[in-house]
Amino acid sequence: MTLTGITELRFFPALLRLTVSLLLIGWIFAGVVNADDEATRDRRHRQLLEKRDAILDGLRGDLESVETWCNEHNQSEAIPTLKQIELQLLSPDTEAEPPRAVTPEVDKTLAMEEQQWRLQVQHHRKTRSIEMYSLARSALRAGFLSMAFSIVRDVIRIDSDHKDARSILGKQIYRDPLKKDDALYSGEWVSAFEKKMRSSGKVYRHEYGWLPTANVARYEQNLRPWKGDWISVEKEAEQRRDFRNAWEVPSEHFLVKTNVSLEAG
């Protein structure tokens, strides 16, 4: 009998391995926690938080020094931008997602004074992010996993292009070859899955998922690939009603198989 209306969800083993690894790490650190003297841990916890605050205070001082430099070099119009940067870095929206775009280099066509203050800001942000990342590692070694993760978020807020911190959150740089002539484009932070898809010449469409770029126009004409040829949407639906011919929709962590429709999958 032909099966209809079935959807199957497969869990990728890689995600399972990652989950088990994280649980194992947590279990190991739990043993360390139980063995530590509570007073010592409390003191260490306070010390780490104090170091975090000291790094942020240092960054505040760095930005204030740039403001002073701007006032001394007739760049007072830069002050509002610097205030906005300071607000973003030191009074952050904790729900905000890190920027997807890689920060481009300072524009060499800008006036020399503007280039200089922007380079100063860039230097301070990178320096402080390195300090903060070192602190995150210290928090991890001390067994404070939640704090370590929170500090990694601080790192990315201070320098959104910190590769190690981004990697912890599962992001990699992808540079779209179609944008290579765009002077303002330096790349994007994407998941390993998206990088793999785009590197293989695929594009994402909300209705269909990832498609080869060359196939998009035919999909929009309601044609679908079938055994080396192209058939109508209606004929494809007839073929895939049998679950042995089900649509397969891969995503970063799951593989969905369904005979309902590609769009539903």
Side-chain angles (χ1 to χ4, degrees):
M1 183 177 72
T2 302
L3 299 175
T4 59
I6 297 175
T7 299
E8 178 183 277
L9 184 64
R10 292 185 181 177
F11 186 66
F12 284 163
L15 183 60
L16 179 59
R17 289 196 298 271
L18 175 61
T19 303
V20 172
S21 297
L22 291 174
L23 289 173
L24 180 60
I25 291 172
W27 176 78
I28 292 171
F29 276 114
V32 175
V33 169
N34 292 333
D36 279 350
D37 178 77
E38 198 64 32
T40 301
R41 282 187 54 78
D42 288 345
R43 182 172 65 253
R44 182 60 175 148
H45 191 274
R46 287 195 303 272
Q47 290 172 342
L48 290 167
L49 290 178
E50 288 169 359
K51 288 183 179 180
R52 175 185 179 272
D53 290 342
I55 293 171
L56 294 176
D57 286 341
L59 180 58
R60 180 181 288 105
D62 295 336
L63 296 176
E64 289 173 354
S65 72
V66 178
E67 290 180 24
T68 300
W69 186 94
C70 288
N71 284 322
E72 293 173 350
H73 292 79
N74 299 316
Q75 292 291 301
S76 57
E77 68 275 7
I79 301 302
T81 300
L82 287 168
K83 293 293 186 185
Q84 184 178 8
I85 292 173
E86 182 177 346
L87 183 66
Q88 171 197 341
L89 299 184
L90 302 176
S91 301
D93 176 1
T94 55
E95 299 300 319
E97 286 297 314
R100 180 181 174 90
V102 175
T103 306
E105 295 294 326
V106 174
D107 187 352
K108 298 296 192 297
T109 65
L110 295 173
M112 186 57 67
E113 291 78 5
E114 183 173 355
Q115 288 188 49
Q116 287 180 332
W117 74 255
R118 289 186 180 277
L119 286 170
Q120 288 181 53
V121 171
Q122 186 180 80
H123 168 74
H124 291 314
R125 293 179 69 168
K126 288 187 178 298
T127 300
R128 296 299 179 181
S129 71
I130 291 171
E131 293 178 14
M132 194 69 84
Y133 185 72
S134 178
L135 184 64
R137 291 174 62 87
S138 296
L140 181 62
R141 287 193 295 269
F144 300 112
L145 274 69
S146 178
M147 178 192 291
F149 185 78
S150 178
I151 295 175
V152 165
R153 300 284 295 188
D154 290 331
V155 174
I156 295 174
R157 188 178 70 253
I158 295 171
D159 175 15
S160 61
D161 299 319
H162 192 290
K163 289 185 178 180
D164 290 331
R166 282 285 197 163
S167 177
I168 289 172
L169 299 188
K171 299 298 181 181
Q172 302 177 5
I173 291 180
Y174 173 75
R175 293 183 173 88
D176 191 333
L178 299 177
K179 299 180 180 180
K180 63 181 180 179
D181 296 326
D182 185 347
L184 298 178
Y185 178 80
S186 297
E188 304 160 62
W189 289 103
V190 302
S191 68
F193 178 77
E194 179 176 342
K195 183 175 182 178
K196 178 182 177 181
M197 292 294 101
R198 294 175 68 179
S199 297
S200 63
K202 294 183 178 180
V203 294
Y204 183 78
R205 291 293 181 270
H206 178 72
E207 302 90 337
Y208 316 117
W210 290 97
L211 298 175
T213 303
N215 291 358
V216 173
R218 288 182 182 268
Y219 269 76
E220 291 174 345
Q221 295 167 8
N222 288 327
L223 297 174
R224 300 291 185 266
W226 182 259
K227 296 184 177 180
D229 201 357
W230 289 89
I231 60 177
S232 68
V233 171
E234 293 78 15
K235 287 186 177 180
E236 184 196 34
E238 292 177 11
Q239 296 292 340
R240 296 195 184 278
R241 192 172 293 118
D242 185 334
F243 197 73
R244 291 172 297 182
N245 299 324
W247 285 278
E248 294 188 356
V249 185
S251 70
E252 187 165 4
H253 300 300
F254 298 96
L255 174 64
V256 177
K257 293 187 68 175
T258 179
N259 63 356
V260 179
S261 71
L262 176 61
E263 291 81 357

